[in-house]
Amino acid sequence: IAAVIEAHNETTNVGVTVALTAGIDSFAGTTGNDTINSIIDGAVSALDNINGGAGNDTLNVSNSLAAALTVPTSVTVTGVETANLTSATTVGVGIVSGTTPLDVSGWTGLTEVTATSGTTANLKAAATTDVVVNAGTAATVLGGNAVTATANNGNLIVNSAAGAVNATTVAGDIAIDKATGAITANAAGAITVTAAKSTVTAVADEDVSIGGGTVISSTINNVSAEQNALDVIAATDAAT
């Protein structure tokens, strides 16, 4: 890695592309837009130190193993603005309380993270980081700024987002708690929103329960018009 950076600094101000190894890596970025690739399973390994430097830098991490994509807590990431996390199986471990998310909340300077998983995704991010999650089954997002999350075959949990939340399930329920920004939720199952701070728009095939919020729009599919109206009224009353 050091040789690539040295050669770059002698010839151009454009960012470099480097590949992490299975060993301990130390990357000090250039003034350009650098790309750091972890294309070997487990290449983001214990004691790695990744500093993107100036520019708009990107870290790409991929995992083809049956085991979950995780990042050791001893890894240091600073000055990297964009992270793309891709796993054939899971991102993080588990999706319920007490399990272990892949935690990027300590990655200084990170403004956007995208996680794509073949099965579940469990991700934690800082309030300054926009989050995009596309999970093959279920997903949990803890923190983040603007959050866009899709669970394609399971439930979706979004907790404590600092910005707007756009949540979708293809086959499952949605639970959103303590979101500061506007909420848009579309669920094949039920939707539960608690401690909302802004507008809430919810479309579900089953029940909708909304706590908090300012302006609320609720639509429940697959029920009679009378029951739909009652549910909307109940949801509005609960928010006032």
Side-chain angles (χ1 to χ4, degrees):
I1 292 176
V4 172
I5 296 172
E6 182 178 358
H8 160 272
N9 289 336
E10 292 176 354
T11 59
T12 180
N13 197 40
V14 178
V16 298
T17 298
V18 298
L20 300 178
T21 70
I24 299 174
D25 294 309
S26 181
F27 172 75
T30 71
T31 57
N33 301 332
D34 303 316
T35 301
I36 306 103
N37 292 323
S38 173
I39 55 178
I40 301 173
D41 292 324
V44 179
S45 51
L47 302 179
D48 281 353
N49 188 345
I50 303 167
N51 186 338
N56 188 3
D57 309 302
T58 301
L59 173 62
N60 299 310
V61 183
S62 62
N63 173 54
S64 62
L65 299 176
L69 172 59
T70 59
V71 173
T73 56
S74 62
V75 171
T76 301
V77 180
T78 58
V80 172
E81 287 72 27
T82 302
N84 298 308
L85 313 172
T86 305
S87 176
T89 52
T90 69
V91 171
V93 179
I95 59 166
V96 297
S97 177
T99 56
T100 306
L102 196 161
D103 189 353
V104 299
S105 63
W107 294 11
T108 306
L110 187 67
T111 58
E112 181 176 352
V113 58
T114 298
T116 305
S117 66
T119 56
T120 61
N122 189 359
L123 186 68
K124 181 179 180 180
T128 52
T129 302
D130 292 340
V131 175
V132 177
V133 169
N134 190 342
T137 56
T140 294
V141 179
L142 305 175
N145 183 29
V147 174
T148 301
T150 301
N152 286 284
N153 192 20
N155 297 334
L156 173 60
I157 300 169
V158 179
N159 283 348
S160 302
V165 174
N166 193 324
T168 303
T169 60
V170 178
D173 300 336
I174 294 175
I176 301 172
D177 185 33
K178 300 182 181 70
T180 301
I183 295 172
T184 302
N186 292 273
I191 295 174
T192 301
V193 177
T194 52
K197 305 295 185 184
S198 187
T199 61
V200 179
T201 302
V203 179
D205 283 352
E206 298 179 11
D207 296 335
V208 173
S209 174
I210 300 174
T214 54
V215 178
I216 296 172
S217 172
S218 175
T219 301
I220 303 172
N221 299 321
N222 300 329
V223 295
S224 68
E226 179 180 3
Q227 182 61 50
N228 186 51
L230 291 173
D231 285 327
V232 171
I233 293 170
T236 304
D237 289 343
T240 57

